[in-house]
Amino acid sequence: MKLSSSSSFGRSSSKRSSCSRAFELLDVDLEDRSGGGVVGGAMLPIFLNDLRRNNDQDTVEVTLELEDDSIVVCSVTPTTATAEPAAGTSEGVFGRSHSVTSRIRRKFPWLRSPSFSRASTTSETEEHNKITARDVRRMKARLQRTRSSAQQALKGLRFISNSTISGACEEELWRKVEARFESLAKEGLLGKEEFGECIGMGRESKEFAVGIFDALARRRRQKIAKITKEELYDFWLQISDQSFDARLQIFFDMADSNEDGRITREEVQELIMLSASANKLSKLKEQAEEYASLIMEELDPENLGYIELWQLETLLLQRDTYMNYSRPLSTASVGWSQNIGSLRPKNVMRRATETLRCLIIENWQRGWILLLWLLTMAGLFAWKFNQYRSRAAFQVMGYCLATAKGAAETLKLNMALILLPVCRNTLTWLRSTRARSFVPFDDNINFHKMIACAIAIGVFLHAGNHLACDFPRLVNSSPEDFALISTDFDRNKKPTYKDLLSGVEGVTGISMVVLMAISFILATSHFRRNVVRLPAPFNRLTGFNAFWYSHHLLGLVYVLLLVHGTCLFLAHQWNQKTTWMYISVPLLLYVAERTVRTCRSEHYSVKVLKVSVLPGNVFSLIMSKPQGFKYKSGQYIFLQCPLISPFEWHPFSITSAPGDDHLSVHIRTVGDWTQELKRIFTESDYLTSISSRARFSLLGQMDQRGQPRVLVDGPYGAPAQDYKNYDVLLLVGLGIGATPFISILRDLLHNTRLEEQLDSNTETSRSDESLNSFTSSNLTPGGKRKWQRCKNAHFYWVTREPGSFEWFKGVMDEVAEIDYKGQIELHNYLTSVYEEYDARSTLITMVQALNHAKHGVDILSGTRVRTHFARPNWKEVFTKIASKHPYATVGVFYCGMPVLAKELKKLSRELSHKTSTRFEFHKEYF
């Protein structure tokens, strides 16, 4: 093949190049020498050979698109003169070329392109042009369907979920289907209503499964409502076929209800509604007509009113292209291979050493605290144990007494230490000091629970040895042995067992054991979270209220402990009664904390400015910002409504930014307190009845406007408040667990906005109060801007309810509008929708991509952030971040279920070990 013109290539970064060459039809070798196939498809050599047979001197210009394993014909146009026409002839160069063009057009109408159509005669009708344009697109689609794209397509259009087919062979899967048939069938026949459940699609996909059933029945030229096991097996073989073509044909047949080989807009609409029903997307069903028109607009540009199988195939095979139409707001923009070179050697000893090093780096703060605590308890136990071994009482009561007294010494220490982790104001202040570098303040609640367990063990050893061992030995001791310790008892008289229990020491000790047992049991997760179901009226012993009120019984325990510690049998001097020495300072600190909280909450009485009821049993409160109230993003506050309860305080993450002139929280109604709070502020009838009674007994519970009072206590420190100490943030929130991170996103947006304003004009006066407050918080006393270490954030929000995206819709839109540098990546995941390659969500995925490309709005969240389906692949997420931010320190902050926390923590450790990026994991409290 002889080339008469040079080729012009597109961008070098593209895998596809566009070549425009003129071919002389002489000695054309059209066989692909590498594989024996025909280059450019079966039709290209036929049409070129036809040209050679008609006129060896005729030449045409063919524009091709070259890929790795395919050639796409873009246009065919006649060239300029190849030889001068004979003198006196009426046919010139253009005439000869035009004749060649006409023969090409008549022979191969599928080659008609826009450029070629312009050379056609004006006698052709508009309808014929439309059909020809569709033929061109059909041939392009066939040529573009490469082996790689077909292999990629095998992931798509699964009719059975991955979780159903994972790790199972075909015979095993059919045995499960057969077993379900036996349980669901009646008289040997399975109704189509149970078809979806039988094949493993689940009851929630009932309508979609019925559509598959009808499509497979139409193939058999049947219109049936029930099938036998043999017919079910035939249906199963078709559904479980691994080829993409088979799956595509079933999907097409579902929509093609009249079996004419064409899908109309109404049939596309019906298929969208089936998919929306399977994924519980009621809002999508309401807009199915609009989205069906969107698909027809994309696939039927000629407006013929129908699409064919090849057009649907094109839509699915070009899935990635459609998904990448929009701004990469929710995708990483850097290749994964960037950080691969930093992987450490896979030597076993080296790997073990690195793992040990990572464990030490991650846990050294917890390690030295726990080691110090354990050594202190062991030292106190041994000291007191040996002290009583050398006393006369040891001759009477033996090791039982020494063990009980040693355990009592550890109890004194732990009863003092258990108060420190719940002194929130103190911990919040310590977080701002250098102590945070060697004390794990994030684990204060875990440490509080560990001390509680140690107290339970100490009580068991102390009380158990007294009641079961040394008291019986004392009562049954001989007069000679008792004479050794008789001076330690009243009137030198040996007490009875009843005397020991009815005395001050016995009554206070037993009372403390009972009260602590009640408090500890009701504080366990099963009781606190209503997992345990008790019959009425004992059902009031479960839930948060039972935990909250029972914990206040411990105040009485401390009073009894002081009494118990001053009335001892075997100690009479003041320096031997050391209980008060242990608990006095922590107890005074805790009392001072509670006093400050009470006084501050009265001062921080806020006005509720706005209440918004949101989907998913969530409502937001926007409150006035109290005078002098300062906080950091990531912190939380306690709210109290005296009208509901004058004692209950409940924690909520702050969702407003420090620079805002208001406070906002988002509350999910999961308990009686939150339900009552929502009812008070959202039901007008309830407010009217409250206002009419306020002048009698509720004056202290209402504000001057007649609205219920809301008291604020805080702010209190949380792990997320230290986000500025990291180069990059990975924020992971499950459902309402996204609230701690919304304030951080708002703060980052404020930083971006402030930097732009300071860079553009540092002398511009700022009259806005909120901007002034934010500016002052980000400038040093000398007027210089504070250095902000954190520049990038990746926010992953995983939820089951599509309506949840309404909660923070404004924040996500604001990020999309302001963050033009791409510093914040937002990723929304909806787990109620099947994975993106499932047949039940395939069409929704395409509608979502097309609508996002055309309007810039996601069909599920209503924002510019595209929603992903199913759960994230967390290993893939961490790998992307490590590739994009090498040699950076990434703060991983998580708020949600504990199960996922373990996975994220493990991945943080593994990726810190394998890559040059360091991940530090933190879990929020609630």
Side-chain angles (χ1 to χ4, degrees):
M1 182 177 289
K2 183 178 179 181
L3 303 180
S4 60
S5 64
S6 59
S7 62
S8 58
F9 293 89
R11 292 179 299 178
S12 59
S13 60
S14 175
K15 291 183 178 180
R16 180 182 295 180
S17 59
S18 178
C19 302
S20 178
R21 303 175 186 267
F23 297 92
E24 288 191 7
L25 307 177
L26 301 174
D27 302 326
V28 182
D29 184 7
L30 295 169
E31 294 297 319
D32 186 357
R33 302 183 185 280
S34 59
V38 179
V39 179
M43 299 302 296
L44 182 61
I46 296 174
F47 114 82
L48 291 177
N49 288 328
D50 180 74
L51 293 180
R52 183 168 61 241
R53 285 194 304 268
N54 284 291
N55 193 336
D56 287 345
Q57 301 302 317
D58 290 340
T59 60
V60 295
E61 182 176 318
V62 182
T63 304
L64 307 174
E65 282 189 358
L66 305 181
E67 288 194 18
D68 296 335
D69 53 358
S70 67
I71 300 177
V72 180
V73 180
C74 295
S75 64
V76 181
T77 58
T79 61
T80 56
T82 57
E84 291 294 324
T89 63
S90 60
E91 185 183 43
V93 175
F94 179 79
R96 186 173 62 252
S97 299
H98 181 70
S99 64
V100 175
T101 303
S102 301
R103 291 197 300 272
I104 294 173
R105 184 171 64 252
R106 289 193 302 268
K107 184 69 176 177
F108 302 104
W110 55 268
L111 286 173
R112 192 179 304 276
S113 64
S115 60
F116 189 82
S117 298
R118 287 192 294 268
S120 63
T121 61
T122 57
S123 60
E124 293 179 299
T125 64
E126 182 179 355
E127 182 67 21
H128 186 67
N129 285 335
K130 289 180 180 179
I131 296 175
T132 305
R134 177 172 288 218
D135 290 339
V136 171
R137 290 193 295 111
R138 179 189 291 114
M139 291 307 304
K140 281 188 177 183
R142 290 177 179 175
L143 291 172
Q144 286 175 338
R145 183 179 175 180
T146 61
R147 184 178 302 173
S148 59
S149 63
Q151 184 67 27
Q152 180 74 12
L154 290 178
K155 298 180 181 179
L157 282 179
R158 289 190 304 262
F159 290 98
I160 310 298
S161 301
N162 256 347
S163 56
T164 305
I165 63 176
S166 179
C169 61
E170 294 182 8
E171 293 79 6
E172 182 181 353
L173 287 174
W174 168 245
R175 284 196 298 269
K176 293 180 179 179
V177 173
E178 194 175 19
R180 287 192 289 265
F181 175 87
E182 298 297 337
S183 62
L184 296 173
K186 296 180 181 179
E187 298 180 356
L189 296 176
L190 178 73
K192 66 178 178 180
E193 300 294 329
E194 290 79 28
F195 178 71
E197 184 178 356
C198 184
I199 64 175
M201 294 187 74
R203 296 181 180 178
E204 62 278 1
S205 302
K206 179 179 175 181
E207 295 181 21
F208 193 88
V210 168
I212 299 176
F213 183 96
D214 290 338
L216 296 177
R218 285 195 298 270
R219 287 186 175 185
R220 301 166 62 95
R221 298 292 187 268
Q222 295 177 334
K223 190 174 182 180
I224 53 178
K226 295 182 180 181
I227 55 175
T228 63
K229 184 187 293 187
E230 290 73 18
E231 291 172 326
L232 173 65
Y233 183 68
D234 180 52
F235 283 9
W236 172 256
L237 290 178
Q238 297 180 62
I239 294 173
S240 58
D241 194 322
Q242 295 298 311
S243 68
F244 174 71
D245 290 328
R247 296 174 182 176
L248 177 65
Q249 188 64 58
I250 295 176
F251 195 70
F252 184 86
D253 291 343
M254 287 179 63
D256 186 20
S257 57
N258 58 2
E259 302 180 86
D260 62 351
R262 298 175 177 181
I263 300 179
T264 63
R265 185 188 60 79
E266 290 76 15
E267 290 173 328
V268 173
Q269 178 181 341
E270 181 64 27
L271 191 56
I272 291 176
M273 294 183 68
L274 287 176
S275 300
S277 177
N279 292 280
K280 302 177 182 178
L281 300 175
S282 56
K283 184 179 179 181
L284 190 64
K285 293 178 68 174
E286 298 172 0
Q287 299 174 297
E289 183 178 356
E290 173 188 347
Y291 296 138
S293 299
L294 184 66
I295 290 182
M296 296 300 294
E297 180 183 340
E298 175 69 19
L299 298 183
D300 183 28
E302 298 86 6
N303 200 25
L304 296 179
Y306 64 87
I307 60 175
E308 297 175 311
L309 179 65
W310 66 270
Q311 291 166 292
L312 183 63
E313 178 186 30
T314 302
L315 182 71
L316 299 178
L317 290 181
Q318 294 183 357
R319 172 184 175 276
D320 294 336
T321 303
Y322 286 110
M323 294 296 289
N324 292 328
Y325 270 164
S326 57
R327 176 176 178 264
L329 190 66
S330 55
T331 56
S333 56
V334 177
W336 290 19
S337 60
Q338 176 179 341
N339 208 19
I340 299 302
S342 61
L343 294 178
R344 294 179 173 86
K346 295 185 178 180
N347 180 272
V348 177
M349 288 299 297
R350 182 70 176 274
R351 192 164 61 242
T353 304
E354 290 294 333
T355 302
L356 180 61
R357 186 180 70 87
C358 291
L359 288 174
I360 293 175
I361 292 175
E362 182 181 349
N363 298 294
W364 72 270
Q365 292 178 320
R366 303 181 186 92
W368 83 266
I369 291 289
L370 291 177
L371 182 61
L372 178 62
W373 175 55
L374 293 173
L375 290 177
T376 302
M377 285 196 301
L380 289 174
F381 183 92
W383 169 66
K384 188 60 69 173
F385 185 90
N386 290 325
Q387 187 183 85
Y388 271 83
R389 279 190 62 187
S390 60
R391 298 183 63 172
F394 182 77
Q395 305 299 323
V396 180
M397 291 175 275
Y399 286 102
C400 297
L401 176 65
T403 302
K405 291 299 181 179
E409 205 68 19
T410 63
L411 278 172
K412 298 173 187 177
L413 172 68
N414 289 326
M415 288 298 289
L417 290 179
I418 200 170
L419 294 173
L420 298 180
V422 292
C423 292
R424 298 189 183 92
N425 290 294
T426 303
L427 292 180
T428 301
W429 171 73
L430 288 174
R431 282 178 180 274
S432 61
T433 65
R434 294 184 178 180
R436 70 172 184 272
S437 60
F438 56 88
V439 177
F441 293 114
D442 295 350
D443 292 326
N444 63 321
I445 300 300
N446 292 329
F447 190 48
H448 179 78
K449 294 177 181 178
M450 290 181 64
I451 297 174
C453 293
I455 289 175
I457 296 172
V459 168
F460 177 79
L461 291 176
H462 179 71
N465 277 282
H466 273 324
L467 296 175
C469 187
D470 57 20
F471 280 4
R473 292 188 63 173
L474 174 62
V475 171
N476 298 319
S477 63
S478 64
E480 294 80 9
D481 290 337
F482 180 73
L484 299 174
I485 56 173
S486 59
T487 56
D488 293 325
F489 295 90
D490 187 26
R491 299 177 185 179
N492 297 331
K493 180 182 177 181
K494 184 168 68 172
T496 63
Y497 197 85
K498 182 179 179 181
D499 293 333
L500 293 173
L501 295 183
S502 60
V504 177
E505 301 91 336
V507 171
T508 55
I510 293 174
S511 299
M512 285 190 294
V513 171
V514 172
L515 292 176
M516 284 194 289
I518 294 173
S519 179
F520 285 15
I521 290 174
L522 295 183
T524 57
S525 60
H526 284 73
F527 280 88
R528 190 176 72 252
R529 297 181 178 179
N530 277 326
V531 177
V532 178
R533 300 294 181 182
L534 298 178
F538 300 103
N539 56 345
R540 294 182 177 272
L541 296 178
T542 62
F544 182 84
N545 285 344
F547 153 74
W548 179 258
Y549 289 117
S550 64
H551 243 55
H552 285 77
L553 295 175
L554 295 175
L556 181 58
V557 169
Y558 278 94
V559 175
L560 295 174
L561 180 61
L562 288 173
V563 176
H564 185 81
T566 55
C567 302
L568 300 177
F569 291 118
L570 305 176
H572 304 285
Q573 299 180 4
W574 70 271
N575 59 347
Q576 294 178 337
K577 302 174 181 181
T578 58
T579 302
W580 66 273
M581 299 180 186
Y582 282 96
I583 68 173
S584 58
V585 174
L587 190 59
L588 288 174
L589 178 62
Y590 183 76
V591 171
E593 283 247 351
R594 295 301 296 262
T595 304
V596 169
R597 289 179 60 180
T598 303
C599 297
R600 184 172 58 186
S601 63
E602 292 292 335
H603 177 67
Y604 285 162
S605 179
V606 297
K607 297 179 182 178
V608 177
L609 305 177
K610 182 180 179 182
V611 180
S612 300
V613 179
L614 303 170
N617 292 326
V618 173
F619 67 100
S620 66
L621 290 180
I622 298 179
M623 302 165 287
S624 60
K625 194 173 184 179
Q627 186 70 24
F629 188 87
K630 296 181 179 180
Y631 63 94
K632 297 179 181 179
S633 294
Q635 293 184 332
Y636 65 96
I637 57 177
F638 280 83
L639 294 182
Q640 184 200 77
C641 183
L643 185 61
I644 302 175
S645 171
F647 305 108
E648 291 187 48
W649 291 87
H650 293 263
F652 300 100
S653 297
I654 304 173
T655 54
S656 55
D660 294 333
D661 56 359
H662 63 270
L663 278 176
S664 68
V665 294
H666 286 67
I667 302 172
R668 187 164 193 173
T669 53
V670 292
D672 52 0
W673 190 88
T674 53
Q675 289 174 355
E676 189 68 13
L677 184 68
K678 179 181 179 180
R679 190 161 69 96
I680 286 175
F681 284 103
T682 58
E683 297 182 9
S684 57
D685 295 340
Y686 188 83
L687 284 176
T688 303
S689 64
I690 289 295
S691 299
S692 63
R693 305 195 313 267
R695 63 177 181 273
F696 297 106
S697 59
L698 305 175
L699 288 175
Q701 301 174 7
M702 311 292 291
D703 61 18
Q704 296 176 353
R705 299 182 299 169
Q707 286 191 350
R709 295 180 63 200
V710 176
L711 305 180
V712 174
D713 177 33
Y716 291 111
Q721 77 175 61
D722 298 326
Y723 74 94
K724 293 183 179 179
N725 298 330
Y726 298 94
D727 304 315
V728 182
L729 299 179
L730 174 56
L731 310 174
V732 180
L734 269 60
I736 199 64
T739 51
F741 311 129
I742 296 301
S743 180
I744 295 177
L745 295 179
R746 292 183 188 272
D747 199 25
L748 293 175
L749 287 177
H750 279 305
N751 287 337
T752 302
R753 188 184 295 113
L754 180 64
E755 288 178 358
E756 293 175 0
Q757 293 179 356
L758 290 178
D759 291 338
S760 61
N761 188 1
T762 57
E763 301 298 328
T764 303
S765 61
R766 298 174 177 85
S767 58
D768 184 65
E769 182 180 351
S770 63
L771 183 58
N772 282 333
S773 62
F774 177 74
T775 303
S776 61
S777 66
N778 284 271
L779 297 178
T780 62
K784 297 181 179 180
R785 195 190 321 174
K786 290 182 181 179
W787 178 68
Q788 299 290 339
R789 178 180 179 183
C790 181
K791 295 294 184 181
N792 296 91
H794 302 260
F795 178 49
Y796 283 80
W797 187 11
V798 184
T799 182
R800 285 191 56 84
E801 301 292 336
S804 303
F805 298 125
E806 294 287 337
W807 302 348
F808 311 114
K809 182 177 179 180
V811 176
M812 290 187 284
D813 282 333
E814 193 175 2
V815 169
E817 292 174 4
I818 297 178
D819 184 39
Y820 61 89
K821 295 181 180 179
Q823 295 176 334
I824 301 176
E825 289 186 6
L826 303 180
H827 306 258
N828 295 337
Y829 280 83
L830 188 61
T831 59
S832 62
V833 180
Y834 292 96
E835 56 265 24
E836 294 180 348
Y837 287 106
D838 195 289
R840 287 162 285 188
S841 62
T842 294
L843 204 57
I844 299 177
T845 303
M846 305 314 302
V847 168
Q848 183 193 47
L850 291 173
N851 190 77
H852 201 281
K854 183 176 180 179
H855 304 292
V857 177
D858 183 74
I859 61 174
L860 298 179
S861 67
T863 68
R864 295 176 61 183
V865 182
R866 193 171 61 229
T867 301
H868 304 278
F869 299 152
R871 292 175 175 82
N873 184 335
W874 292 113
K875 186 173 183 180
E876 181 178 310
V877 169
F878 275 76
T879 305
K880 283 184 178 181
I881 294 176
S883 300
K884 188 174 183 180
H885 307 284
Y887 307 103
T889 302
V890 180
V892 183
F893 296 94
Y894 169 75
C895 186
M897 299 299 292
V899 177
L900 182 56
K902 295 180 180 179
E903 180 183 350
L904 297 182
K905 187 175 182 179
K906 180 181 178 182
L907 285 171
S908 299
R909 182 169 60 247
E910 289 180 356
L911 268 293
S912 296
H913 163 63
K914 293 180 179 179
T915 68
S916 60
T917 304
R918 180 184 174 187
F919 293 88
E920 294 185 10
F921 179 80
H922 304 274
K923 184 180 183 298
E924 293 295 302
Y925 303 141
F926 47 86

